Amino acid sequence: MTRKTDSFDVIAQLAALRRYALSLVRNADEAEDLVQDALTRAYERQASFRTGSNLRNWLLSIVHNVHVDRLRRRRSLERRHEAAAEIADHAVAPSQDHSVRLGQLRGAFFALPEDQREALHLVAIEELSYREAADALAIPVGTLMSRIARARARLRALEQDLPAGTTPHLRLVGGNGDDQQ
């Protein structure tokens, strides 16, 4: 057992890892972060290191893989931001009434009990299926459906309390329409 630990001396490899990380990212702070992330991954996967293998090469490949993962994540984020920017450029600024109403709706959503808010968020905003949302919350599907129904009822009640002449902005999502109260 001590033989495996002796062969896994990453401290002796830190200088090489830092140099390689610096050559990849060309920024000292980012290089330190990259080395730290790589060492974390190396310790998590220490069992996959074969005793007698070249530790330095193994660690350098982890630094490389962590760097590639970061680049992919950054590019993916940039693509999502660009797509959002394209949509935002075409959006029309809402009227003041709409902004106020949206603020009221947001407040009503956040005023929901936590269990109802969680359930409604996962299904209505994150677009998870009932099964996926129930699994995420570790509750039965029936319980999830009940929480969503109560949350929607509270929000519909908010819409019914609107002043005369105001049109409701909420619509029933997923239902057949005959469950109106």
Side-chain angles (χ1 to χ4, degrees), residues 117-154:
R117 190 175 61 247
E118 289 172 343
L120 187 61
H121 177 90
L122 291 176
V123 172
I125 297 172
E126 299 300 329
E127 298 180 347
L128 296 181
S129 69
Y130 283 163
R131 168 58 47 209
E132 293 168 333
D135 289 346
L137 295 173
I139 59 173
V141 174
T143 302
L144 175 88
M145 293 172 68
S146 174
R147 289 177 182 178
I148 291 171
R150 289 194 312 269
R152 287 178 174 164
R154 281 182 169 210

Side-chain angles (χ1 to χ4, degrees), residues 82-99:
E82 288 170 4
E86 287 178 20
I87 293 170
D89 290 343
H90 301 293
V92 177
S95 68
Q96 185 175 7
D97 292 341
H98 183 72
S99 296

Side-chain angles (χ1 to χ4, degrees), residues 35-180:
V35 169
Q36 181 178 350
D37 290 348
L39 289 176
T40 301
R41 188 177 290 181
Y43 275 108
E44 289 171 350
R45 297 189 175 108
Q46 182 175 356
S48 69
F49 176 69
R50 285 181 246 141
T51 305
S53 297
N54 188 328
L55 178 63
R56 181 179 179 187
N57 290 349
W58 187 70
L59 291 171
L60 290 172
S61 69
I62 291 175
V63 169
H64 173 77
N65 291 338
V66 169
H67 175 65
V68 169
D69 290 347
R70 285 174 158 207
L71 288 176
R72 287 180 182 150
R73 197 173 314 122
R74 187 177 303 137
R75 287 181 187 138
S76 175
L77 182 64
E78 288 171 2
R79 282 194 301 271
R80 285 194 304 268
H81 285 180
E82 288 170 4
E86 287 178 20
I87 293 170
D89 290 343
H90 301 293
V92 177
S95 68
Q96 185 175 7
D97 292 341
H98 183 72
S99 296
V100 169
R101 186 68 190 131
L102 194 56
Q104 292 170 337
L105 180 58
R106 183 177 187 271
F109 177 78
F110 286 118
L112 290 171
E114 184 176 349
D115 59 339
Q116 293 176 17
R117 190 175 61 247
E118 289 172 343
L120 187 61
H121 177 90
L122 291 176
V123 172
I125 297 172
E126 299 300 329
E127 298 180 347
L128 296 181
S129 69
Y130 283 163
R131 168 58 47 209
E132 293 168 333
D135 289 346
L137 295 173
I139 59 173
V141 174
T143 302
L144 175 88
M145 293 172 68
S146 174
R147 289 177 182 178
I148 291 171
R150 289 194 312 269
R152 287 178 174 164
R154 281 182 169 210
L155 293 177
R156 274 195 302 271
L158 171 74
E159 288 292 299
Q160 293 170 354
D161 292 340
L162 290 175
T166 308
T167 57
H169 297 287
L170 294 180
R171 61 183 172 85
L172 186 62
V173 176
N176 56 13
D178 43 337
D179 58 342
Q180 298 281 333

Side-chain angles (χ1 to χ4, degrees), residues 15-34:
L17 297 177
R18 287 183 176 131
R19 282 191 306 269
Y20 183 52
L22 188 58
S23 74
L24 290 174
V25 296
R26 294 172 288 207
N27 177 298
D29 293 332
E30 285 185 45
E32 283 297 320
D33 290 345
L34 180 58

